[in-house]
Amino acid sequence: MPPAQNGAVALDEARAVVKVFSPSRLALARKAAGLQKRQLADALGKSSAAVTQFELGQAKPSAETLLECSKTLGVPVSFFALGRAQLRLDTSAAHFRSLRATRAYQRDQALAFVELLWEALEKIEQVIELPPVQLPTLTAAERQAGPSPAAALLRAHWDLPSGPIFHLVRQCEAHGIVVSILPPTSLADASGQPPEHAAGVGNIDAFSATTSQRPIVVLTGVKGGILRRRFNIAHEVGHLILHRDALPGDQIQEREANTFAAEFLMPAEVMRDELPLKPDLEELMLLQKKWGVSVSALAYRARSLGVFTESQHRRVMIAISQLGWRTHEPEDTGQLGDEEPALLARAAELGSENGLSLAQMARDLSLPLALVRTLIGIRTKRPRLVIIPGGS
């Protein structure tokens, strides 16, 4: 199709979408791209007030402006049309681990990721039955007992022995929790059409939310390795069980989730006998490989259980810092196992065998195929270079 004709078709489609324009979907696309209103306005050649009016439904963009929104935000113009259910989340509906260290647009982007993920999840669940959610509902007395008994209760509920938990992501997914990894750059990057603004998840470590009764834990690939990821997952599961009503930035809830994670991954009844009586890094590294938790987490656990004194704990942390392990601790990934989400990717694969291809899902969601793949955790495999020895 000649460019002029192609442009005419796109403009006709945009005119049709303007008639059924959804202000909230424009806001969703902007937040997913990591853009503030001012930045989108600059890209459109409009004022911030104009973008605000579009998002509040006080004015409709022209077809030309809507096409520019599509180009800037990396979604098809049909994304902005009414007619589909849309999840609405705000900061009070999610537990953010680093609320004070994140900017508003970063939290907005992370929540937009969950809203888009929810739409993909709803589409998948029309075809595939996902594992039922199996999280215990605490009684008033159990809630009052605190995070450590709640962690023990979850182990019993999931029929886990008192030893190390391997494949923690798989355990969560098998019990109905969706685990996803937020791209470290803007979602528009994932769609293949990045805006000029360099967005990203910044200081967000992990967060969780419950959507339509299905809990979601979202991680980022920005900070730490598998050891930190495992603790983050346990921390967020603690929030899901202990704190049904999120209080953004509440330090008491954060401490309780940390205590839950420590007990869930390192049960006190076992760790008191396994922890070394003296802060020996070599022994702690052996426990790190066995339990799948960082040396710093083991040292803190030893202090909290009264195995290490305050000064012993401090010496361990100084030694860890000197070795650079606070940010890059050695990990035996083969020993820990693969802690990558697989539930949605496998569900999508099964869905493709039952009439719901990824391409069809992308069309139904009005999203770029690359972004749909990112949402459900399908990683693009790198081509493998093979060198054949010998020959001319």
Side-chain angles (χ1 to χ4, degrees):
M1 183 182 293
Q5 188 177 354
N6 187 43
V9 171
L11 196 57
D12 285 343
E13 182 184 5
R15 290 192 182 102
V17 172
V18 167
K19 296 177 182 178
V20 288
F21 171 70
S22 169
S24 62
R25 296 200 73 78
L26 174 60
L28 173 57
R30 175 183 60 78
K31 292 173 183 178
L35 291 179
Q36 298 170 311
K37 292 178 182 178
R38 171 183 52 78
Q39 292 162 328
L40 177 58
D42 290 345
L44 300 176
K46 302 286 184 180
S47 66
S48 297
V51 172
T52 297
Q53 290 175 336
F54 295 155
E55 293 189 1
L56 291 176
Q58 297 172 348
K60 285 186 177 183
S62 66
E64 292 79 5
T65 297
L66 205 57
L67 277 178
E68 196 60 36
C69 287
S70 171
K71 185 187 306 181
T72 301
L73 302 177
V75 294
V77 72
S78 56
F79 181 86
F80 304 113
L82 291 166
R84 284 183 288 140
Q86 182 177 335
L87 180 69
R88 308 291 179 88
L89 287 177
D90 58 32
T91 304
S92 65
H95 294 279
F96 282 95
R97 290 206 63 184
S98 307
L99 186 65
R100 294 178 181 177
T102 58
R103 296 181 179 180
Y105 80 83
Q106 293 171 331
R107 297 195 298 273
D108 286 344
Q109 184 188 22
L111 291 173
F113 176 85
V114 175
E115 292 175 16
L116 292 174
L117 176 60
W118 175 82
E119 294 186 21
L121 188 58
E122 290 284 294
K123 183 61 62 177
I124 289 172
E125 290 201 275
Q126 291 175 9
V127 179
I128 303 299
E129 184 177 350
L130 298 181
V133 178
Q134 298 180 54
L135 286 176
T137 300
L138 302 184
T139 64
E142 289 169 338
R143 201 175 294 276
Q144 187 68 28
S148 292
L153 180 66
L154 180 62
R155 273 188 173 253
H157 195 73
W158 285 1
D159 196 25
L160 296 174
S162 58
I165 300 174
F166 292 101
H167 296 294
L168 180 57
V169 171
R170 298 291 191 274
Q171 287 290 343
C172 290
E173 293 181 324
H175 295 92
I177 300 173
V178 170
V179 182
S180 188
I181 299 178
L182 183 68
T185 55
S186 72
L187 295 189
D189 286 341
S191 76
Q193 300 183 54
E196 292 183 3
H197 171 63
V201 292
N203 291 315
I204 294 175
D205 217 359
F207 69 99
S208 56
T210 298
T211 62
S212 301
Q213 306 308 311
R214 186 168 293 279
I216 295 177
V217 171
V218 179
L219 309 166
T220 78
V222 174
K223 293 183 177 181
I226 291 179
L227 298 173
R228 183 162 182 160
R229 175 178 294 181
R230 284 168 52 83
F231 197 91
N232 285 342
I233 293 169
H235 176 104
E236 296 306 325
V237 171
H239 276 312
L240 293 171
I241 292 175
L242 296 168
H243 310 128
R244 297 299 173 94
D245 299 318
L247 297 176
D250 185 272
Q251 293 305 301
I252 294 176
Q253 288 192 352
E254 290 302 305
R255 285 195 295 271
E256 289 178 344
N258 278 334
T259 300
F260 177 97
E263 177 64 28
F264 188 63
L265 294 174
M266 300 170 282
E269 62 173 327
V270 180
M271 296 307 297
R272 282 194 178 94
D273 294 330
E274 294 224 358
L275 287 164
L277 296 179
K278 295 182 179 180
D280 186 299
L281 282 183
E282 186 175 348
E283 289 190 53
L284 289 173
M285 278 299 295
L286 292 175
L287 290 177
Q288 181 239 57
K289 293 179 180 180
K290 178 179 179 179
W291 288 88
V293 292
S294 67
V295 170
S296 59
L298 285 163
Y300 189 87
R301 188 68 168 149
R303 191 191 72 174
S304 65
L305 294 176
V307 178
F308 287 178
T309 64
E310 181 69 35
S311 62
Q312 286 176 321
H313 174 257
R314 186 163 52 250
R315 286 203 302 273
V316 172
M317 298 310 294
I318 291 172
I320 290 173
S321 296
Q322 290 173 339
L323 291 167
W325 289 6
R326 297 294 293 269
T327 52
H328 298 288
E329 184 172 326
E331 298 179 340
D332 186 343
T333 55
Q335 180 79 8
L336 292 173
D338 182 16
E339 291 287 0
E340 292 287 331
L343 175 65
L344 294 185
R346 291 179 180 176
E349 183 180 351
L350 189 58
S352 67
E353 299 171 5
N354 291 271
L356 182 63
S357 67
L358 286 177
Q360 183 61 53
M361 191 186 305
R363 287 192 292 271
D364 292 345
L365 297 174
S366 293
L367 289 173
L369 179 58
L371 181 49
V372 172
R373 293 173 66 89
T374 297
L375 290 169
I376 62 179
I378 298 178
R379 307 293 177 225
T380 301
K381 294 182 179 180
R382 292 178 296 173
R384 184 177 181 182
L385 176 63
V386 178
I387 303 297
I388 301 175
S392 56

